[in-house]
Amino acid sequence: MSEVSRRRMFGLAGAGVALAGAGAAGAGIDRALGSHPAAATTDIVPFSGEHQAGIVTPAQEHLHFAALDVTTKDRAELVSLLKTWTDAARKMTRGQDVGATGAIGGSPAAPPADTGEALELPPSALTLTIGFGPSLFDDRFGLAASRPAALAELPAFPKDKLEPARSGGDLCIQACANDPQVAVHAVRNLVRLGFGTTEVRWSQLGFGRSSSTSTTQSTPRNLFGFKDGTNNLKAEDPAALDEHVWVTEADGQPWLAGGSYLVARRIRMHIETWDRTSLDEQEKVVGRAKGTGAALGQTAEFDPVDLHIGGAGGEPLVPVDAHIRLASAESMGGAKILRRGYNFVDGSDGLGHLEAGLFFICFNRDPRKQFIPMQKALSAKDSMMEYIQHTGSALFAVPPGVSETGYWGDTLFEG
Amino acid sequence: MTLPKRLFALAGSAALLTLAACAGGQDSGAPGAAGPVTVAATDTTCEVSTATANAGNVTFEVTNKGTKVTEFYLYAEGDRIMGEVENIAPGLTRKLTVEVAEAGTYQTACKPGMAGDGIRGAFTVTGGATKQADANTELAAATSGYASYVATQTAALQTETQKFADAVKSGNVADAKARYATTRVYYERIEPVAEKFGDLDPAIDVREADLEEGQQFTGFHRLEKDLWANGLQADSAQVADKLVADVNDLVGKTKTIELSPLDLANGAKELLDEVATGKITGEEETFSHTDLWDFQANVDGSKGAVQALRPVLQARDPQLVSTIDGQFANVQKLLDATRAGDGFKYYTELSQDQVKEFASAVDALSEPLSKVAEVVAK
C-alpha cells in the first residue's frame, strides 16, 4: 500500500456527514471532498514560513507540550533526528500519517510507522513548534559559542516551588490543535522517533486556551473564571510583534533571527480557596470585572485600562497589588509579552483538591527585558500569588521558521 | 511472568506473522473444504463439525450455546497454542482463523468458564504448506541455533531449580535466598518460550499481585515471599516439589517445540517489554528486590535470539544491526554500573534517576528491536 493520507480518508468519511447537514451543504461537500483547497486550508496551518507556526497562529483549543533531553552526544545524530522530526511534522500538520507506510500501510510483521490514533481525524489546525533549552548549548554538540546571552537559566523567583521533574529540558515540542487527540498523536510520534536520541523529561497536557492571539478570537476564561488575555499581543499587529516577539539579527545571534524565546511555567491554582473568595475580592485581585472583563472603572472589556482612577478614600480602583496593574506595559516600562497559555487539570492531588491551573506559555524577544522583570514584580507583589504557585519552569530559544526544504534548527547547525 | 492475556496475544501475533510470511498458504475455502468449521459449545460439550482440514488457513466459527462465558483454542502438540478466541458470551458466535502450515495432529478445546484444560478433541490437518524456515537455510540455521541456546538454558534451569528446592526443603533459608535470583536467570532468559506452554508459566512464575480468584499461589514467587517476607510455611516444601515438577515438565516440552524465525524476533522484543513493564518498576521481585538479575537475564535472552538471527539481519539490514548492537551495549553499560559482587544492587537501592536512565535505554533498544520481525519476514 502506498502512503496513506489521513486527510483523504477523512474526506471520504466526512462526505456523508456534510450531505446530511443541508444548511451548509455547498461548502461542506466541497470541503469534505477536498475539492476546494481554499476552504480546506482553514484546517491546515502552513508548516513553513518566516516564523514557526504556533506562535501568532490563532490559539487552538488544545495543547500537548513536551520537554526532552538529548541522550546522544553525537551532533550528527541530533541533526538527523531534527530532519526526521521536520519531515514528520510537515506530514502531521497536513493531516497525514508519519512514515512512508503510515498507520496501516506497512508490513503486518512490523509495528506501524504511525501510531494511528489520529486516523480519520482532520488536521485540526495542528501546529508543531520546537525550542532549544539553555542546556543544549553545553559542550556536547559544539554549540556553546552560538548560545544567545538571553538564553540563560531563569533566576529563582520568590514563592517558586519548582519541581525538577517539571522543569528544564534540552528541547521542547509545543503541539497545539483543535482536537486534543491530534496534539497528543503528534507528540507521541515525535517522541517515538526520538527514542535512542532523546528522552522525555516532562510533559503537560492543556485544554481551553487561556488567551487569544488574534483579534478574530473571543477572549477565553481561565480556571479562576476570568477573561484572560484581553490585552495580549495579537497577530494582526505586526509592528508590535516585531518590537516584542521576534528576535532580529542585531539582537546577538544571527541564527535566531526570526525566532523568539518561549517561557513555560506550570502554575498550580489553589482552586478551592479561590472559590471561597468573595466576588469583590476576586475582582480586586485580578483588577477586572468578572462578568464583562472590563478593567475596574471601565465598562467594556476592551476599554483602555486606566490605572489612575481613584475610588473611595483615594484608593485606586485598580488596587496597587492587582494582577493587571503589575503586569501592565505601563508598569513594565512598555514591555509586553505574547501569551499562549492553556488551562490544565491533572486530576486531583490526593488531598481531594484539583491538581489544576494554568500552563503559562509566553513568547518574547528578550526574557531579560520582558518576562523576567515582569515575573519578579508579580511574584513579589501580586495579590494573586496567594492563590497560585509556580511548580514548573523552563526557557527555550525558538528558532525561526523552516523553509520548504529546510529543517528545524538548520540555521543553528548549518550556520 | 505475564498475564494470561499477554500470553495469548503472543501466540496470536506469532500466528499472524507466519501468515504474512507465507503468502501462498492455502485457504480452508479451497476445494475440498466447505466453509468454516463450526463449533457448538455448551457448558459440557464441544461439538466440532469436522475433525480434519487442509493445511493453510483454517477458520472456526464458535457458537456458545451454554450458560457460561467460554473460549476456544487450537493446540499443537505439547499444548502449544496455535490460535484462540476468548470471552465468547452465551449466545454469541465468534470467528477464529488460524494459519496451520504443517500437517499433523492438533487439538481443539472449548473452555466453559474460561478455566481448566477444556473439552478436548483431536483435529487432523493434512497436506501442508512449506514452512518458512525450510525456505531459507540461513533462517533454518537461526532457529536451530536458538534451539540449542534454549536447550542449554533449560538444562541449567532444571539442575539449579532442584538445588534451590532442596535448600528450601532442608530449611536452609540462607542458601535458598542465595540461590533464588541465580536460578531464575535461566528462566528469565527463555521466558517467551516458556510462555508458549499455557498454564505452566503461571504455575512457575505467577506474581502474587496477578493471581486470579481461586488461582493457587505457587512457583518461584511464592517461595520468594516465604523466604523474604513470611518465613518458611508448612507447605513450602510441597510448593518446592511442585516447582521442580513443573520445571521438569516445561523442560520436556521445550525439547519438542519448533520455533519460527519470527518467534525469535518477537521473543527478543518481548523480553525487553518484560523489562520495561515489570523489572523497571520493581514489581517482579516484590519481596527479594532482585529485579536486576531478571533484567540482565531478559537482556541476555533477547540478545541470544538476535544473535541467532544475526547473519540474516546483517545481510538484509546492516544499519539495524549496528543500531541494535549500540543500544544493547548502552543497556549493558548501565547494568554493569549497578553490579555488586557476583550479582547486582537490589532494586530498592536504585535512585529515581537510575531507574529513569534504565527506562530510557530500554525504550531506545526496544524501538529498533521491534523492527527485527519485519526484516526477518521479508
Side-chain angles (χ1 to χ4, degrees):
Chain A
M1 193 185 293
S2 63
E3 180 184 309
V4 179
S5 160
R6 207 176 81 203
R7 179 158 178 79
R8 202 159 58 235
M9 296 184 62
F10 167 70
L12 295 172
V17 178
L19 284 166
I29 294 167
D30 278 350
R31 188 175 147 196
L33 296 178
S35 60
H36 197 299
T41 58
T42 57
D43 259 342
I44 299 178
V45 179
F47 177 75
S48 299
E50 184 186 358
H51 310 295
Q52 285 195 67
I55 301 174
V56 298
T57 305
Q60 301 93 321
E61 290 300 323
H62 298 277
L63 168 81
H64 190 183
F65 190 96
L68 303 97
D69 285 328
V70 181
T71 51
T72 181
K73 285 181 179 151
D74 183 341
R75 178 175 164 133
E77 248 180 70
L78 174 58
V79 168
S80 166
L81 176 65
L82 288 166
K83 288 176 178 169
T84 304
W85 273 0
T86 306
D87 176 55
R90 279 202 177 93
K91 287 187 165 179
M92 289 193 288
T93 53
R94 287 198 297 255
Q96 294 168 346
D97 292 5
V98 161
T101 52
I104 50 176
S107 159
D114 183 284
T115 54
E117 75 274 26
L119 280 171
E120 290 106 33
L121 294 177
S124 309
L126 172 70
T127 55
L128 286 160
T129 315
I130 198 170
F132 301 141
S135 51
L136 190 73
F137 295 81
D138 59 14
D139 53 9
R140 286 174 293 170
F141 309 107
L143 297 173
S146 304
R147 175 168 165 170
L151 188 64
E153 298 291 347
L154 294 174
F157 298 105
K159 303 192 186 77
D160 273 3
K161 191 188 173 192
L162 302 183
E163 299 169 25
R166 297 188 192 278
S167 300
D170 289 337
L171 299 167
C172 75
I173 302 166
Q174 173 195 276
C176 298
N178 288 325
D179 185 313
Q181 188 132 328
V182 169
V184 167
H185 169 261
V187 168
R188 175 174 164 192
N189 278 275
L190 295 183
V191 165
R192 185 181 175 202
L193 289 169
F195 280 134
T197 308
T198 54
E199 66 182 26
V200 172
R201 188 180 172 93
W202 55 272
S203 70
Q204 182 70 52
L205 284 176
F207 69 93
R209 62 183 171 89
S210 72
S211 48
S212 53
T213 55
S214 166
T215 55
T216 62
Q217 296 183 299
S218 62
T219 311
R221 289 181 187 272
N222 60 26
L223 291 182
F224 281 162
F226 277 77
K227 284 178 178 274
D228 205 348
T230 299
N231 268 349
N232 204 14
L233 293 170
K234 300 280 162 53
E236 290 79 6
D237 188 353
L241 296 176
D242 281 342
E243 184 182 350
H244 300 293
V245 176
W246 306 125
V247 174
T248 67
E249 202 154 318
D251 289 336
Q253 289 288 352
W255 69 266
L256 195 58
S260 189
Y261 292 92
L262 182 159
V263 179
R265 305 278 293 180
R266 184 177 184 274
I267 305 173
R268 168 86 190 269
M269 289 173 162
H270 302 307
I271 301 282
E272 291 78 9
T273 50
W274 177 261
D275 291 346
R276 290 192 281 267
T277 303
S278 72
L279 177 62
D280 181 55
E281 172 72 7
Q282 289 184 2
E283 292 186 336
K284 280 182 174 154
V285 165
V286 176
R288 288 185 182 274
K290 197 165 189 176
T292 59
L296 296 181
Q298 311 296 325
T299 52
E301 185 194 346
F302 290 99
D303 288 349
V305 177
D306 186 344
L307 300 173
H308 308 285
I309 304 176
E315 290 294 314
L317 272 188
V318 176
V320 292
D321 55 1
H323 186 74
I324 64 161
R325 174 186 292 275
L326 294 165
S328 69
E330 184 178 339
S331 307
M332 296 306 309
K336 290 184 173 186
I337 54 176
L338 175 76
R339 281 185 294 153
R340 213 174 202 286
Y342 286 84
N343 300 324
F344 71 83
V345 176
D346 294 342
S348 302
D349 65 359
L351 304 175
H353 299 145
L354 272 183
E355 178 67 51
L358 171 69
F359 188 69
F360 171 97
I361 296 175
C362 81
F363 291 89
N364 56 174
R365 184 175 163 185
D366 189 340
R368 295 170 301 178
K369 295 174 186 163
Q370 294 164 270
F371 173 77
I372 292 171
M374 198 176 285
Q375 186 54 36
K376 273 188 176 158
L378 288 171
S379 56
K381 299 177 212 154
D382 187 1
S383 54
M384 196 182 279
M385 289 305 290
E386 194 181 321
Y387 302 98
I388 61 176
Q389 190 159 44
H390 290 236
T391 56
S393 177
L395 172 67
F396 301 94
V398 174
V402 183
S403 72
E404 297 288 342
T405 54
Y407 65 91
W408 266 326
D410 53 6
T411 55
L412 172 61
F413 289 95
E414 312 289 331
Chain B
M1 156 66 203
T2 49
L3 295 171
K5 204 169 272 175
R6 277 249 312 129
L7 164 66
F8 300 143
L10 164 76
S13 68
L16 195 76
L17 293 168
T18 317
L19 171 68
C22 315
Q26 287 168 266
D27 207 82
S28 58
V37 178
T38 58
V39 180
T42 71
D43 294 353
T44 51
T45 59
C46 184
E47 288 177 37
V48 183
S49 65
T50 172
T52 56
N54 291 334
N57 288 344
V58 183
T59 301
F60 297 91
E61 196 170 74
V62 187
T63 304
N64 185 358
K65 298 179 175 170
T67 61
K68 295 177 179 171
V69 177
T70 193
E71 50 189 358
F72 177 80
Y73 287 75
L74 183 69
Y75 288 110
E77 209 168 6
D79 279 3
R80 183 160 58 97
I81 299 162
M82 300 296 292
E84 59 91 33
V85 53
E86 56 184 331
N87 274 318
I88 311 170
L92 274 190
T93 299
R94 299 273 297 277
K95 270 192 182 179
L96 168 69
T97 300
V98 188
E99 209 255 353
V100 189
E102 293 170 76
T105 306
Y106 296 81
Q107 280 196 315
T108 53
C110 299
K111 292 191 184 176
M114 311 222 297
D117 285 335
I119 306 159
R120 302 289 183 111
F123 195 80
T124 307
V125 173
T126 54
T130 312
K131 270 163 63 187
Q132 195 203 0
D134 299 335
N136 186 315
T137 47
E138 268 185 339
L139 288 172
T143 52
S144 76
Y146 186 69
S148 48
Y149 175 78
V150 171
T152 328
Q153 298 306 315
T154 51
L157 174 66
Q158 218 165 0
T159 316
E160 294 305 311
T161 304
Q162 185 66 58
K163 289 184 194 162
F164 169 65
D166 289 346
V168 170
K169 287 166 71 180
S170 67
N172 190 340
V173 171
D175 186 36
K177 277 177 153 185
R179 291 184 175 281
Y180 174 76
T182 51
T183 302
R184 288 184 50 75
V185 159
Y186 302 103
Y187 191 79
E188 292 286 334
R189 284 186 188 145
I190 57 153
E191 205 163 2
V193 178
E195 284 172 1
K196 288 190 178 290
F197 302 106
D199 292 339
L200 271 178
D201 175 52
I204 295 169
D205 200 33
V206 72
R207 286 183 290 211
E208 189 179 29
D210 295 338
L211 287 175
E212 292 166 27
E213 209 178 314
Q215 193 181 354
Q216 267 201 314
F217 188 24
T218 60
F220 279 117
H221 293 301
R222 161 60 206 278
L223 294 173
E224 178 203 4
K225 186 176 184 181
D226 291 356
L227 290 169
W228 271 273
N230 291 348
L232 290 178
Q233 304 292 303
D235 64 343
S236 294
Q238 270 171 277
V239 174
D241 280 337
K242 180 169 164 28
L243 174 64
V244 169
D246 287 338
V247 165
N248 289 344
D249 194 2
L250 176 83
V251 171
K253 286 185 170 171
T254 56
K255 286 182 178 144
T256 58
I257 193 173
E258 285 191 43
L259 295 165
S260 74
L262 286 171
D263 288 334
L264 271 57
N266 287 308
K269 181 188 82 77
E270 276 148 16
L271 278 163
L272 268 293
D273 292 345
E274 289 278 331
V275 171
T277 52
K279 277 74 176 186
I280 273 172
T281 55
E283 284 168 74
E284 177 87 11
E285 306 292 356
T286 318
F287 308 105
S288 67
H289 306 302
T290 54
D291 300 85
L292 289 185
W293 278 259
D294 296 9
F295 186 157
Q296 178 71 63
N298 285 158
V299 169
D300 289 345
S302 180
K303 226 176 185 173
V306 171
Q307 291 303 1
L309 292 166
R310 193 176 188 89
V312 184
L313 294 176
Q314 190 66 47
R316 297 182 181 179
D317 193 343
Q319 177 59 46
L320 182 63
V321 174
S322 90
T323 304
I324 288 172
D325 283 350
Q327 298 299 348
F328 262 124
N330 189 35
V331 169
Q332 192 56 56
K333 201 177 76 190
L334 294 179
L335 275 167
D336 288 345
T338 61
R339 282 194 191 276
D342 291 340
F344 296 90
K345 286 186 180 173
Y346 295 110
Y347 183 81
T348 41
E349 295 175 274
L350 298 179
S351 69
Q352 191 54 40
D353 282 350
Q354 274 176 308
V355 172
K356 193 181 174 206
E357 239 182 339
F358 273 129
S360 179
V362 168
D363 278 339
L365 172 58
S366 300
E367 265 307 300
L369 273 184
S370 75
K371 300 193 167 80
V372 169
E374 184 186 18
V375 175
V376 169
K378 266 181 194 167

